[in-house]
Amino acid sequence: MNAIQSRQIHIDGVVQGVGFRPFVYSLAQRYALCGWVRNTSAGVDIVVEGPNAALDAFVAALSAEAPPLAKIDAVQVNDMPANGYTDFEIVHSADSPDAFMPISADVSLCDDCLRELRDPSDRRYRYPFINCTNCGPRFTIIKAIPYDRPLTTMADFPMCEDCAREYHDPLDRRFHAQPVACPSCGPQVWLVEGDQAAPLQADQAVRRTVDLLKAGQVVAIKGLGGFHLACDARATEAVRRLRQRKRRFDKPLALMLRDVDAARKLVLINDDEEALLTSRQRPIVLLNTRPEADIAPEVAPGQTTLGIMLPYTPLHVLLFEDQGEDEPLILVMTSGNRSEEPIVTTNEDALSQLGDIADAFLLHDRDIHVRCDDAVVRWAIDAELPIRRSRGYAPYPVQLPLDQPPTLAVGAELKNTFCVTRDRYAFLSHHIGDMENLETLQSFRDGIAHFESLFRIKPRLIAADLHPDYAATRYAIERAQQEGIALRQIQHHHAHIAACLAEHGHPGDRPVIGVAWDGTGYGKDGSMWGGEFMLVDYQSFTRKAHIKSLPLPGGDAAVRRPARAAFAWLLASEIDIPERLSLLKILSEEEQRIIRQQVQIGLNSPLTSSIGRLFDVIAALVGLRHEITYEGQAAIELEGIAWAGDHGAYPLRSAAQIDVRPLLQWVLQDSLDGVPAGLISARFHRGLALLIRDSCLALRLSYGLDEVALSGGVFQNVTLLRQAVSLLREAGFTVYTHRLVPPNDGGLALGQAVIAAAQERADA
Ligand code: ZN
Ligand code: ZN
Ligand code: FE
């Protein structure tokens, strides 16, 4: 006879709002077990009673069959005396004041909801806000925890009887789906067009939007984490108008297409990339453009890739319904903001701020509580490479190798994200953006306050960059003073490498070789670093080798105008500059005279060891790009033109101070000799990859280290990344590259947090 046993089970992870309790309920039915399940503010608690074998099967199935959106971090099982339950129940949530748990990111429409959306007999047929426990908005509608409808922006929509029945039925797909709604009780869309008196509603609004887009108009469309500005990507005039009005000149525009087949007509897609495109996160995936792609050249000028995403909300899906098979709609879907400001989230702001950009506005009345831009990824080697980690990914935590004190890390100046940590979790924020205006700074402050309350973190430690002029650093200093919190300022490239190690769960207690290459970061000597080979653990670093510093006359002016930097580097390297060099035509006589002077006496001419700037200089020398309108433009275009295959390498010798003079000479000569820029670019990339390998070999010889971490914005360049990784692996190194957080400054806060905590521990 089987004795009745009892087990108490606690589960940590993303287990709320993802259909976990109904799943547990149905498992209990399957194994004929009694007891209960409930949400706590720290996960899910279960008590089950029954025969031993059934209990074992139940526990095994909990992890093995968990619902798609659940992310289980830990399962604790304890035996306890049986209580004599006679049925299995879902009981009310218990909240304890300090407990916290991860929150789900927003999830794209699931297949079941898609089927209902397309089913004329379903009561949610063509309803733009259909969702269930397996899909829909999460992070962007949550105002506070625990995750429950009254604490979301769905609080304004009381459920109708039909929705309430589904919501309360443990066996329904919509059991406790907080955003559940239908046409009779939920949010609605409407279209604001010109000075038209009565806006079109519901399906009429959607259909009219498609007509406007096809007629070449720009429509602002309210999405999940903010507004998009949309237009027909084949309508050259429309794309041009959108760019002019938005004052966005070259920076590529993302596209949305109906499905993978439609995307294949524009770009090459391998199996891994297809998996990314169709993933629940639905990021923008950067894909290689087909030469014959039928698309306005203004979409992505100077690019060999297109940023593509598939529809991720029911509203998006509706925009692409009923389109012809041979001429499917291709939409530009770029973030709805004015040049560098944060993406717009409210109807009022859309009408006022995007008023002179959009011709019409597809609005709805479900509020966006957290602004969240689309995420951007690339397929790298054997994993995805995040470029921007935002909607669909944030705020899923990165699991850390060590317990962290409650810490706030404020990140960098450009592509800012911040990070809060506690226990073994690092909650890296959504993309905040470039901290160069008050609106972005406000978004940063609001975001921090929201994260601290969502995850119940009261920082005992603040980490910031060393750079005295970063707005985030100033915020950190001020706040640390006001609230009496310990502050640690972390060197930029140290933080990059630590971020890479942390996402791999590296304990950071032994030095590794860090290759930190980016555009710029404040060095310990006050110069601008960015071509660094360092020995790094979490606590400290030593700079072992770097590109020999060169001047940037006019600082930012030389960043905006690669031609200036190139001219200065030739001068500083004492390389003869022939008259016929194309970049001399870009710089006026006067400008050349001033640059000469600046280089000679070092006036207003900061020194830099940045590889990002080296890319700029090479792009200018080959005549590819003399001026940029967005960060990284020259480097991206230089990567884009690089010929595939083995074409040799320019010489870059590893040394404590790496001399780029021979490289500059070669590039100059080849360029003057008419060697194609794509070939020069290929040799340049190869030279850099070999430099990485040779420098790491030299460091291994001296220090016996065989782990290498590659980080910094330069490693968004997959041409370089792939070559460097394969050379390092061939040489027997263990190589860490980014898969969870971006190599650029968007991942920096994670590294700041783990370093600050390690230093704090060491000093304690
Ligand atoms: Zn669904
Ligand atoms: Zn309803
Ligand atoms: Fe950086």
Side-chain angles (χ1 to χ4, degrees):
M1 197 50 212
N2 267 331
I4 296 297
Q5 312 272 327
S6 182
R7 303 237 173 113
Q8 187 180 40
I9 303 166
H10 178 79
I11 300 177
D12 279 321
V14 180
V15 285
Q16 289 187 16
V18 294
F20 204 80
R21 286 173 305 164
F23 156 70
V24 172
Y25 181 91
S26 60
L27 273 190
Q29 310 278 325
R30 184 200 299 171
Y31 296 110
L33 301 174
C34 299
W36 50 263
V37 56
R38 75 167 177 210
N39 279 346
T40 69
S41 44
V44 166
D45 283 339
I46 304 166
V47 168
V48 272
E49 299 187 356
N52 232 338
L55 289 175
D56 288 343
F58 174 87
V59 171
L62 276 179
S63 303
E65 299 175 30
L69 299 185
K71 287 194 176 185
I72 296 178
D73 292 335
V75 182
Q76 283 169 37
V77 186
N78 295 310
D79 290 325
M80 58 183 275
N83 236 310
Y85 292 108
T86 52
D87 59 1
F88 193 89
E89 272 187 300
I90 296 176
V91 299
H92 272 293
S93 308
D95 193 18
S96 52
D98 183 49
F100 77 105
M101 62 176 313
I103 287 173
S104 171
D106 302 274
V107 186
S108 67
L109 187 71
C110 75
D111 288 343
D112 290 326
C113 287
L114 179 63
R115 201 172 349 90
E116 291 169 356
L117 183 74
R118 287 176 169 159
D119 176 0
S121 69
D122 193 277
R123 67 191 187 93
R124 294 188 181 86
Y125 176 57
R126 291 186 67 91
Y127 177 57
F129 302 95
I130 185 171
N131 68 81
C132 72
T133 27
N134 299 323
C135 73
R138 294 288 187 279
F139 174 54
T140 52
I141 61 165
I142 296 176
K143 293 177 167 177
I145 53 166
Y147 175 53
D148 218 348
R149 191 165 173 117
L151 297 177
T152 70
T153 62
M154 285 300 292
D156 305 340
F157 301 95
M159 280 180 277
C160 69
E161 263 178 42
D162 289 335
C163 286
R165 195 178 321 111
E166 294 166 331
Y167 181 89
H168 288 115
D169 177 359
L171 295 178
D172 194 278
R173 202 172 92 243
R174 295 195 165 87
F175 177 72
H176 280 225
Q178 305 306 343
V180 72
C182 77
S184 53
C185 68
Q188 302 293 340
V189 294
W190 67 95
L191 181 73
V192 173
E193 208 187 329
D195 41 13
Q196 175 202 55
L200 290 177
Q201 306 279 340
D203 211 29
Q204 279 188 311
V206 175
R207 291 182 193 273
R208 173 73 181 157
T209 299
V210 176
D211 291 342
L212 292 178
L213 290 167
K214 282 178 162 170
Q217 301 224 356
V218 175
V219 185
I221 299 175
K222 188 174 183 180
L224 201 51
F227 273 80
H228 283 118
L229 287 161
C231 73
D232 180 349
R234 275 186 291 231
T236 306
E237 267 313 306
V239 180
R240 217 175 269 165
R241 215 158 352 105
L242 172 57
R243 280 199 178 277
Q244 274 161 7
R245 290 175 181 174
K246 207 185 160 192
R247 306 192 55 70
R248 174 168 169 142
F249 302 109
D250 302 313
K251 201 172 178 182
L253 302 168
L255 300 179
M256 186 179 276
L257 292 99
R258 188 183 56 196
D259 52 25
V260 174
D261 284 342
R264 277 192 207 287
K265 294 183 180 151
L266 299 183
V267 289
L268 301 164
I269 305 171
N270 67 29
D271 291 348
D272 297 314
E273 290 164 337
E274 178 170 347
L276 281 178
L277 272 176
T278 55
S279 69
R280 293 193 300 264
Q281 291 86 352
R282 291 287 155 97
I284 296 169
V285 186
L286 301 182
L287 298 161
N288 289 323
T289 315
R290 285 183 186 276
E292 71 276 17
D294 173 21
I295 199 138
E298 286 78 2
V299 168
Q303 305 274 321
T304 49
T305 59
L306 286 171
I308 305 252
M309 62 183 149
L310 301 184
Y312 54 86
T313 69
L315 182 57
H316 294 149
V317 170
L318 292 176
L319 294 175
F320 291 91
E321 291 290 273
D322 311 324
Q323 301 297 322
E325 275 302 310
D326 17 299
E327 281 287 297
L329 193 59
I330 303 173
L331 290 182
V332 165
M333 285 287 251
T334 185
S335 41
N337 57 352
R338 279 206 300 219
S339 59
E340 300 304 325
E341 290 177 12
I343 183 170
V344 166
T345 54
T346 67
N347 295 342
E348 297 70 39
D349 284 352
L351 293 168
S352 65
Q353 295 180 25
L354 307 178
D356 46 10
I357 304 178
D359 301 301
F361 300 82
L362 185 59
L363 306 178
H364 64 69
D365 53 2
R366 188 178 70 201
D367 288 345
I368 298 168
H369 188 71
V370 181
R371 162 181 294 130
C372 204
D373 290 75
D374 293 317
V376 182
V377 304
R378 262 181 117 162
W379 184 257
I381 308 156
D382 33 29
E384 66 185 282
L385 175 69
I387 304 292
R388 184 164 77 197
R389 185 182 184 274
S390 206
R391 195 244 329 132
Y393 295 85
Y396 280 134
V398 175
Q399 290 223 58
L400 298 172
L402 300 167
D403 267 348
Q404 282 271 132
T407 304
L408 164 68
V410 297
E413 180 79 352
L414 298 179
K415 304 182 165 73
N416 179 278
T417 63
F418 61 83
C419 177
V420 293
T421 67
R422 63 176 291 176
D423 302 7
R424 291 205 172 185
Y425 287 119
F427 299 96
L428 192 66
S429 78
H430 50 294
H431 171 76
I432 301 292
D434 298 350
M435 306 271 277
E436 49 196 9
N437 54 57
L438 287 175
E439 292 78 7
T440 309
L441 196 55
Q442 191 55 47
S443 179
F444 166 80
R445 288 171 178 272
D446 293 347
I448 289 175
H450 191 50
F451 267 58
E452 286 178 7
S453 112
L454 279 186
F455 303 113
R456 291 181 169 159
I457 290 170
K458 212 173 154 20
R460 289 211 320 261
L461 180 60
I462 301 185
D465 196 272
L466 267 184
H467 201 304
D469 296 331
Y470 280 6
T473 302
R474 290 201 299 267
Y475 165 91
I477 293 173
E478 199 183 288
R479 179 147 177 220
Q481 268 169 3
Q482 275 172 5
E483 299 179 24
I485 307 172
L487 172 75
R488 299 253 170 193
Q489 283 183 263
I490 313 295
Q491 201 280 325
H492 190 92
H493 303 94
H494 186 197
H496 270 309
I497 299 301
C500 184
L501 294 176
E503 72 159 69
H504 283 273
H506 195 286
D509 55 354
R510 54 179 190 261
V512 306
I513 300 168
V515 183
W517 284 9
D518 66 0
T520 184
Y522 198 80
K524 283 208 150 159
D525 56 5
S527 78
M528 290 299 152
W529 294 4
E532 313 305 309
F533 293 93
M534 32 193 9
L535 305 190
V536 178
D537 57 27
Y538 287 155
Q539 208 184 315
S540 62
F541 76 94
T542 43
R543 190 189 197 199
K544 286 297 172 191
H546 59 91
I547 300 291
K548 200 155 113 192
S549 293
L550 284 161
L552 276 182
D556 278 351
V559 176
R560 278 193 308 274
R561 305 196 67 199
R564 273 182 88 101
F567 186 63
W569 285 25
L570 293 177
L571 290 175
S573 309
E574 295 174 340
I575 295 172
D576 287 334
I577 306 174
E579 295 275 322
R580 62 196 174 95
L581 187 64
S582 72
L583 67 86
L584 292 185
K585 295 180 199 79
I586 306 297
L587 302 166
S588 68
E589 299 265 320
E590 174 66 2
E591 211 170 352
Q592 293 184 26
R593 193 183 59 77
I594 294 171
I595 296 172
R596 271 179 210 282
Q597 228 173 31
Q598 285 177 320
V599 170
Q600 253 164 26
I601 57 175
L603 182 73
N604 185 23
S605 210
L607 292 174
T608 186
S609 57
S610 159
I611 298 283
R613 295 295 80 77
L614 181 59
F615 268 87
D616 290 353
V617 165
I618 303 300
L621 285 180
V622 302
L624 177 70
R625 172 74 35 205
H626 297 302
E627 257 171 330
I628 60 166
T629 64
Y630 63 92
E631 201 223 342
Q633 182 175 10
I636 290 168
E637 292 179 5
L638 193 61
E639 182 195 353
I641 62 165
W643 288 9
D646 183 2
H647 304 282
Y650 291 126
L652 279 162
R653 303 254 315 259
S654 87
Q657 303 233 355
I658 299 149
D659 189 1
V660 297
R661 187 170 187 272
L663 165 74
L664 297 180
Q665 273 176 318
W666 273 99
V667 171
L668 181 66
Q669 197 53 53
D670 274 359
S671 184
L672 291 168
D673 289 349
V675 174
L679 183 52
I680 295 178
S681 173
R683 289 175 179 162
F684 170 58
H685 278 84
R686 190 72 189 162
L688 289 177
L690 289 166
L691 172 65
I692 290 174
R693 184 200 58 190
D694 294 347
S695 301
C696 292
L697 284 173
L699 290 171
R700 177 159 75 186
L701 209 57
S702 305
Y703 301 99
L705 306 176
D706 53 14
E707 294 171 290
V708 179
L710 305 176
S711 187
V714 167
F715 293 106
Q716 296 169 92
N717 180 323
V718 295
T719 306
L720 175 61
L721 183 66
R722 286 176 186 148
Q723 292 191 33
V725 169
S726 89
L727 286 169
L728 287 168
R729 283 183 181 158
E730 274 166 33
F733 287 100
T734 300
V735 189
Y736 304 107
T737 62
H738 286 277
R739 305 160 311 176
L740 302 180
V741 308
N744 61 45
D745 288 4
L748 204 73
L750 175 63
Q752 291 174 340
V754 293
I755 292 170
Q759 293 181 343
E760 204 69 7
R761 255 193 307 273
D763 290 355

